[in-house]
Amino acid sequence: MALFNFASPQLMAFGILGNLVSFLVYLAPIPTFYRIVKKKSTEGFHSIPYVIALYSAMLMIYYALNKTDATLLITINSFGIVIETIYLSLFIAYAPKKLRVSTIKLVVLLNVVSYVMIVAITYFFIQPPKRVEVLGGINLLLSFIVFVAPLSIIKKVIQTRSVEFMPFWLSFFLSLSAVMWFFYGFLSKDVYVAVPNILGFLFGIIQMVLYAIYKNCASKPVEELKLPEIVKGTPEIHPVNSLPISEDDDDDENKKDENTKDNKMDASDQV
């Protein structure tokens, strides 16, 4: 297995550029996890993207070990495994109990049980020439899932008119990474690397266009139910829409009472 064969300078160039850009993509969530650690809460973030990213990196390394000229695929995905493991560890540490348990279950089911089954079946029952095709097909399917995942974020951006959970630089580097790995796959005649990155590039462009549209927009207000409001200091409950009694109204009531008393006194004097 010739892992260090760089016969094509163009192939080597796009592989190195792909590594550099993907390195930045892997580092892009750092501000998110800094926020999680600082607030000691995972807030509205989900663990699924990081679980899938770890799973993808693990499968890609196994795929690369079964083909030739795959050093640059191994290097970047090795870094991906390390950084995604760190992200998931932080997520599990600061997630609420229910989310923590579900994340651990997902990691065990996908990154342990499923991965071991794929490695065992392909290693013992599929011969090397066919094994690369099978693993490539699995990675191709998983890549489509990873690239289609941003559809939920795109929907959320359109609904809320907010780009809080869709950072521009992440979308930019994802698009750039897709371009580099497409040409790497194209030059190395590896359809399992080239094809999914076409979709990745298109979704990256869509995300950047949406960011440009909604970056200065005010978030769409969420309609709330008008519930009763408890006034401090009293056990009474007043509807939000009810008009409070002003001081002027109190004065008017007092004046009416005084006038009534005066009229009664005058009537008694006349009698």
Side-chain angles (χ1 to χ4, degrees):
M1 186 167 52
L3 291 177
F4 297 95
N5 183 8
F6 295 121
S8 171
Q10 294 86 357
L11 178 62
M12 180 178 178
F14 279 108
I16 293 175
L17 289 173
N19 268 253
L20 293 175
V21 178
S22 296
F23 180 79
L24 295 175
V25 171
Y26 277 125
L27 295 181
I30 286 181
T32 295
F33 282 91
Y34 174 78
R35 175 176 172 177
I36 288 174
V37 172
K38 185 176 180 180
K39 294 189 175 183
K40 297 183 179 181
S41 170
T42 54
E43 299 180 306
F45 297 101
H46 298 282
S47 62
I48 293 178
Y50 309 104
V51 176
I52 297 296
L54 176 60
Y55 187 55
S56 177
M58 293 167 64
L59 282 176
M60 186 56 74
I61 284 185
Y62 183 51
Y63 167 75
L65 289 172
N66 283 274
K67 70 186 299 292
T68 58
D69 304 334
T71 306
L72 295 174
L73 288 176
I74 294 174
T75 53
I76 188 58
N77 285 287
S78 297
F79 176 75
I81 289 176
V82 173
I83 196 69
E84 295 298 338
T85 301
I86 294 173
Y87 290 155
L88 282 171
S89 299
L90 292 174
F91 191 93
I92 291 171
Y94 292 103
K97 183 177 180 180
K98 185 177 180 180
L99 185 57
R100 182 187 303 121
V101 172
S102 64
T103 299
I104 293 174
K105 287 181 179 179
L106 184 60
V107 169
V108 172
L109 180 63
L110 198 63
N111 300 90
V112 179
V113 177
S114 175
Y115 182 76
V116 170
M117 287 179 61
I118 290 174
V119 171
I121 292 173
T122 55
Y123 184 81
F124 291 107
F125 299 101
I126 301 177
Q127 296 302 314
K130 188 69 175 178
R131 187 186 304 159
V132 174
E133 296 179 9
V134 173
L135 291 173
I138 294 173
N139 277 291
L140 182 62
L141 178 61
L142 185 61
S143 296
F144 276 117
I145 295 174
V146 170
F147 285 129
V148 171
L151 284 175
S152 60
I153 299 297
I154 291 173
K155 180 181 178 182
K156 187 173 184 179
V157 169
I158 295 174
Q159 288 179 336
T160 63
R161 301 174 65 88
S162 171
V163 293
E164 179 183 2
F165 295 100
M166 192 184 70
F168 172 81
W169 289 111
L170 178 58
S171 302
F172 173 78
F173 285 122
L174 280 172
S175 302
L176 192 58
S177 175
V179 171
M180 298 305 168
W181 287 114
F182 166 76
F183 281 107
Y184 177 87
F186 177 77
L187 292 172
S188 62
K189 298 179 181 180
D190 190 335
V191 295
Y192 303 115
V193 174
V195 172
N197 282 290
I198 298 175
L199 191 62
F201 175 73
L202 293 176
F203 278 117
I205 294 297
I206 292 172
Q207 290 181 61
M208 286 191 288
V209 170
L210 286 176
Y211 187 92
I213 294 173
Y214 293 112
K215 66 176 181 178
N216 295 323
C217 291
S219 299
K220 185 181 292 185
V222 181
E223 294 183 0
E224 297 180 353
L225 294 175
K226 294 183 178 180
L227 299 175
E229 180 181 60
I230 300 177
V231 180
K232 292 182 179 180
T234 67
E236 298 177 319
I237 299 178
H238 303 277
V240 172
N241 288 336
S242 63
L243 296 176
I245 299 176
S246 63
E247 295 180 358
D248 294 338
D249 293 335
D250 291 339
D251 294 339
D252 292 339
E253 291 293 332
N254 292 332
K255 289 180 181 178
K256 288 180 181 179
D257 293 338
E258 291 177 359
N259 292 333
T260 303
K261 290 180 182 179
D262 292 340
N263 292 334
K264 288 181 179 179
M265 292 178 63
D266 293 340
S268 60
D269 291 339
Q270 290 177 0
V271 174

